[in-house]
Amino acid sequence: MPDHTVLSDRAGQTSRSRSRGMLGAALAAVLAVGLTACAPDPVAEQYLNGEDKGYIAADGFTVVEIAPDDRGEPVEYGGVTEDGATFDSADIAGDVAVVNFWYAGCAPCRVEAPELESVWQEYQEEGVSFVGVNTFDEADTAKAFAETYGVTYPSLMDAKTGQAKLAFAGATPIQATPTTLVLDKQGRVAARIIGQLESASILETLVKDALAESA
């Protein structure tokens, strides 16, 4: 059985548990990833069809760490940022990467933005890169959001193509906004935060765990 660790931080202190129920839920998530090649992701379909903002609320707050032996292949992704720059994951090869899926009208995204930025500021000089994936907005809206909430890392403008979102579909389900992924130094999904990040300490723990691993 894959070794997944589920963490939560309801009281500001990171705790870890490995109960049978949690492991079962994590295994179910892994199995769901394996089915993505056969069953289309509803959020991805909405992005491509233009049906709505792609918001499907997370059922609670969940953090899952994936053991190195259970991770899939490195994810190759890219696109154009809100400033019109071209980004490719190869540009940050060897870094631990934090990838946050968001859009400006998502209330939890607004709440967690300062937490994400604080971790970015603390670890950007230690081989850690942050990349947002904006799933709905135009560039001007994304830039206004960044200015309002003090976000300094770039975001890919993914609303029209779903290019970045779909790149991750084979590695992990992205069915809630916000979702934050931590990628290891090889570019594999090492941890997944579903729902609003409840405290910076949770993400700090995941980033430090990934940094401690050998490349």
Side-chain angles (χ1 to χ4, degrees), residues 57-64 173 175-176 178-180 192-197:
D59 183 17
F61 170 77
T62 305
V63 182
V64 178
Q175 296 181 333
T179 289
T180 303
R192 180 172 65 250
I193 301 172
I194 301 172
Q196 177 189 314
L197 178 63

Side-chain angles (χ1 to χ4, degrees), residues 1-7 15-34 62-72 171-173 189-194 206 209:
M1 178 178 295
D3 181 12
H4 290 64
T5 304
V6 180
L7 300 90
S15 62
R16 297 172 182 260
S17 62
R18 295 177 179 268
S19 68
R20 188 181 302 274
M22 289 180 176
L23 288 173
L27 177 58
V30 173
L31 292 175
V33 172
T62 305
V63 182
V64 178
E65 279 193 282
I66 304 170
D69 290 344
D70 298 325
R71 296 170 194 167
T172 188
V189 177
R192 180 172 65 250
I193 301 172
I194 301 172
L206 297 175
D209 287 350

Side-chain angles (χ1 to χ4, degrees), residues 24-206:
L27 177 58
V30 173
L31 292 175
V33 172
L35 294 174
T36 54
C38 301
D41 183 333
V43 181
E45 285 190 336
Q46 290 169 6
Y47 292 159
L48 297 179
N49 295 337
E51 295 174 1
D52 61 21
K53 296 182 180 180
Y55 181 88
I56 296 180
D59 183 17
F61 170 77
T62 305
V63 182
V64 178
E65 279 193 282
I66 304 170
D69 290 344
D70 298 325
R71 296 170 194 167
E73 294 299 314
V75 180
E76 298 179 358
Y77 59 100
V80 177
T81 73
E82 67 269 56
D83 292 325
T86 300
F87 172 87
D88 190 286
S89 56
D91 299 338
I92 57 172
D95 283 3
V96 169
V98 175
V99 182
N100 174 253
F101 293 81
W102 70 284
Y103 65 89
C106 160
C109 301
R110 297 193 295 269
V111 174
E112 72 174 9
E115 306 287 351
L116 291 163
E117 177 67 19
S118 69
V119 181
W120 161 237
Q121 290 295 334
E122 182 172 355
Y123 288 96
Q124 63 178 303
E125 302 298 331
E126 298 186 29
V128 177
S129 293
F130 270 56
V131 181
V133 178
N134 186 296
T135 60
F136 179 73
D137 302 316
E138 297 292 337
D140 287 346
T141 301
K143 286 190 283 189
F145 180 98
E147 182 175 354
T148 298
Y149 294 97
V151 177
T152 60
Y153 55 85
S155 282
L156 304 178
M157 303 309 300
D158 208 47
K160 293 181 179 178
T161 67
Q163 177 182 349
K165 170 69 165 53
L166 293 175
F168 284 93
T172 188
I174 308 294
Q175 296 181 333
T177 306
T179 289
T180 303
L181 307 176
V182 178
L183 277 56
D184 64 18
K185 297 172 186 177
Q186 299 177 43
R188 304 175 301 172
V189 177
R192 180 172 65 250
I193 301 172
I194 301 172
Q196 177 189 314
L197 178 63
E198 294 190 339
S199 79
S201 64
I202 296 173
L203 184 55
E204 289 174 1
T205 297
L206 297 175

